[in-house]
Amino acid sequence: SGEKKTWMRQPIIVVLGHVDHGKTTLLDKIRGTAVARKEPGEITQHVGASVVPASVLKKLAEPLRKYFPKLVIEIPGLLFIDTPGHELFSNLRKRGGSVADMAILVVDIIEGFQPQTVEAINILKEKKVPFVVAANKIDRIEGWKPHADTPFLESIRDQSPRTLSLLEEKIYGLVGKLYEHGFEAERFDRVRDFRRTVAIVPISAKTGEGIPELLALIAGLSQQFMKKRLVTSEEPAKGVVLEVKEEPGLGTTIDVIIYDGVLRRNDVFVVAGRNGPIVTRVRSLLMPRPLQDMRMHEGRFINVDLVTAATGVKVAAPGLEDALAGSPFYVVPSDDKVEEYKRITQEEVSQIRFRAESDGVVLKADTLGTLEALIEAMRRENIPVKLADVGHVTRNDVIEASVVKKSKPEYGVILSFNVKVLPEAEELIAKEGIPVFKHNVIYQLLEEYFKWYREFKE
Ligand code: GDP
Ligand code: MG
């Protein structure tokens, strides 16, 4: 008796890659595939995420059986985070890693590696997230004959030898680049040991070629190598705050990815806030209303009593105005544990929001996730950080930077990601001549500062 129910949850998958390499198109294609092939009543839409159910994975894997006879789908599906790119990925943060179980690194096969491809690889390495490479836009290889929604291994049987050799050349270009970054890589159907070799799946997000293999491979790898990580049970939920959003009629809500346990209406939970941990109680749990119900009912969301991992859910609760995206989300198991959970949350967050004694740069960002990404980028370049915090650039930030500027002018700067510079700060910035770097793309913000830094050093 007292045995807790356990189950294997969906792996949480993110899509990363350089701008215009096809991340959004790929996610749209995957969602379209899930909707078109699901069984009646299966739900594919979550808040901030989409699910490819097991039934769809099984249908996609069927034609692959002759190539991969051992493939059996055991997971309940794949949970894809809907918004691709670094910025939201950085909010999937978890102490020492990421809530994402696996990533798809999208690379335009014609363009090859670009700055954000490299940045994504560095982040995945640092967060220890395993990944596969989707070599996208194969339909743009000279002479390619498209075959809509067909496995790659079928489609190549109908391509000319010249087109196939152009494809091989491109793939070996990617293998070489991955090697430079410390990864052995190979086309997926030639990989012998998936623990040592990164698989490259040639796809077209436009025609759908290779999508069956891409999804089957992710399913296969996750159930083979991360079974333990995917087992969850009827425990109090653990998650991460992906976004903080105002909703008409609901006030401030948080979109949460739950990666462990069960979340119920009325559960007491802790999240990090601008001014310390917030303890509050779930007023409602909201899931997207299925499209076919939209005509009959008001509102984009439906109320549910509970959700189980893995899921994306909108949580409405009082007092979330100051909640921080990128914060851990913990259901408090019992009343006497409230202080303990506040402390755990506070400790976790104070490693990201800090003030150090040494001379270093000032970092200001909109979320805990992006702030952490900036700190990690500075560490990679051996640049010290004096102050890291979430929020607009204030007069006090400028004072901190101007103190640093006197002894270490190369660090007497402010990097501001997706936040405002307050008018009170502007005045002092002009007076003290503090360089302020602003951008809402992480790598461009870093590039601008590093460029200035190199020029300064010369
Ligand atoms: P993102 O910036 O990575 O999200 O890239 P998008 O998904 O917005 O794609 C950028 C452009 O590439 C768009 O014009 C897409 O239609 C196009 N695109 C994406 N995937 C493919 C593909 O497989 N083949 C071709 N020919 N075009 C593609
Ligand atoms: Mg996009």
Side-chain angles (χ1 to χ4, degrees):
S1 67
E3 279 280 292
K4 277 194 178 121
K5 197 182 139 206
T6 66
W7 64 94
M8 219 206 290
R9 65 167 173 82
Q10 301 90 336
I12 299 166
I13 316 293
V14 293
V15 174
L16 296 177
H18 194 73
V19 63
D20 284 344
H21 281 197
K23 302 179 293 296
T24 302
T25 311
L26 174 60
L27 278 164
D28 286 347
K29 190 73 187 179
I30 290 171
R31 269 195 294 270
T33 305
V35 170
R37 304 207 186 195
K38 74 182 175 71
E39 300 296 318
E42 275 184 322
I43 291 172
T44 59
Q45 198 55 45
H46 291 222
V47 171
S50 306
V51 163
V52 180
S55 67
V56 175
L57 293 173
K58 283 173 189 157
K59 283 177 206 167
L60 292 173
E62 201 47 50
L64 299 175
R65 198 158 294 281
K66 65 177 155 203
Y67 306 104
F68 305 103
K70 281 188 288 190
L71 184 64
V72 178
I73 305 294
E74 301 167 75
I75 49 172
L78 298 169
L79 186 95
F80 282 88
I81 301 298
D82 272 342
T83 311
H86 302 349
E87 275 71 36
L88 217 54
F89 171 72
S90 57
N91 280 342
L92 289 170
R93 52 165 310 285
K94 181 164 87 171
R95 191 194 291 245
S98 174
V99 166
D101 298 299
M102 208 186 275
I104 300 174
L105 179 63
V106 178
V107 187
D108 180 329
I109 197 165
I110 311 288
E111 277 202 356
F113 268 45
Q114 295 296 322
Q116 283 169 299
T117 319
V118 175
E119 199 194 18
I121 286 186
N122 285 332
I123 294 171
L124 294 172
K125 253 195 231 174
E126 210 155 69
K127 299 278 182 187
K128 301 183 186 76
V129 179
F131 64 96
V132 299
V133 172
N136 191 31
K137 309 198 188 183
I138 54 170
D139 61 292
R140 291 190 54 211
I141 292 172
E142 220 183 294
W144 189 269
K145 282 183 262 169
H147 300 74
D149 301 323
T150 305
F152 166 79
L153 294 172
E154 296 288 330
S155 185
I156 50 170
R157 291 162 66 182
D158 190 35
Q159 308 297 335
S160 72
R162 184 180 141 70
T163 298
L164 287 179
S165 84
L166 288 173
L167 172 73
E168 285 299 285
E169 232 172 75
K170 293 292 184 195
I171 288 175
Y172 278 97
L174 293 180
V175 169
K177 280 289 175 192
L178 284 156
Y179 186 78
E180 281 173 30
H181 293 278
F183 292 100
E184 209 173 290
E186 188 52 276
R187 202 172 91 182
F188 71 100
D189 52 317
R190 299 171 184 148
V191 174
R192 288 215 207 96
D193 183 351
F194 284 96
R195 275 166 301 199
R196 293 181 42 197
T197 310
V198 172
I200 300 173
V201 189
I203 66 158
S204 167
K206 194 172 165 191
T207 68
E209 284 157 299
I211 303 288
E213 283 104 327
L214 181 65
L215 295 176
L217 183 68
I218 293 169
L221 293 178
S222 56
Q223 56 194 34
Q224 195 171 351
F225 299 120
M226 45 184 76
K227 250 189 191 138
K228 254 200 191 141
R229 189 177 153 115
L230 296 180
V231 171
T232 183
S233 69
E234 272 180 319
E235 298 277 341
K238 289 195 185 99
V240 66
V241 178
L242 197 58
E243 289 190 271
V244 181
K245 281 184 181 164
E246 283 294 319
E247 294 288 351
L250 294 170
T252 306
T253 64
I254 50 177
D255 291 356
V256 182
I257 299 295
I258 302 294
Y259 60 84
D260 210 4
V262 181
L263 177 61
R264 295 184 167 81
R265 196 192 338 240
N266 288 325
D267 275 350
V268 173
F269 66 93
V270 182
V271 290
R274 223 165 277 279
N275 307 305
I278 299 166
V279 182
T280 182
R281 190 182 288 276
V282 177
R283 185 196 292 140
S284 43
L285 295 174
L286 300 141
M287 293 293 280
R289 187 182 292 286
L291 272 179
Q292 63 268 26
D293 293 359
M294 285 270 192
R295 274 169 286 133
M296 280 129 54
H297 300 276
E298 291 271 318
R300 289 157 51 218
F301 301 105
I302 46 170
N303 266 283
V304 295
D305 291 332
L306 81 151
V307 293
T308 55
T311 188
V313 64
K314 184 179 283 297
V315 177
L320 290 175
E321 290 73 23
D322 288 334
L324 294 174
S327 156
F329 173 101
Y330 295 124
V331 165
V332 181
S334 58
D335 287 350
D336 60 326
K337 294 250 164 80
V338 169
E339 287 310 313
E340 183 188 335
Y341 275 72
K342 277 169 77 174
R343 186 175 48 75
I344 294 169
T345 305
Q346 184 59 30
E347 269 171 20
E348 219 173 292
V349 168
S350 55
Q351 298 179 355
I352 311 170
R353 303 172 76 183
F354 63 83
R355 195 179 169 286
E357 295 309 312
S358 56
D359 284 339
V361 300
V362 172
L363 305 176
K364 297 301 291 271
D366 58 340
T367 72
L368 283 176
T370 52
L371 186 63
E372 188 180 51
L374 292 179
I375 295 168
E376 283 166 357
M378 292 297 146
R379 286 208 182 115
R380 276 200 291 277
E381 304 288 331
N382 288 318
I383 291 179
V385 177
K386 170 151 199 198
L387 177 72
D389 205 357
V390 174
H392 298 310
V393 176
T394 64
R395 200 181 142 81
N396 187 54
D397 298 329
V398 187
I399 294 170
E400 297 278 358
S402 60
V403 172
V404 176
K405 189 176 176 233
K406 293 198 176 82
S407 52
K408 293 271 184 191
E410 68 272 38
Y411 302 142
V413 304
I414 299 172
L415 277 77
S416 138
F417 179 82
N418 221 8
V419 290
K420 280 187 257 177
V421 176
L422 297 179
E424 50 161 53
E426 289 285 8
E427 219 173 285
L428 198 58
I429 286 167
K431 184 163 161 263
E432 299 283 335
I434 302 294
V436 179
F437 301 89
K438 290 183 244 180
H439 221 290
N440 54 9
V441 175
I442 290 180
Y443 103 93
Q444 278 169 351
L445 175 63
L446 297 169
E447 278 298 293
E448 278 174 25
Y449 171 59
F450 293 146
K451 182 164 170 281
W452 177 91
Y453 178 86
R454 282 192 296 271
E455 281 165 10
F456 184 93
K457 284 280 178 185
E458 273 164 16

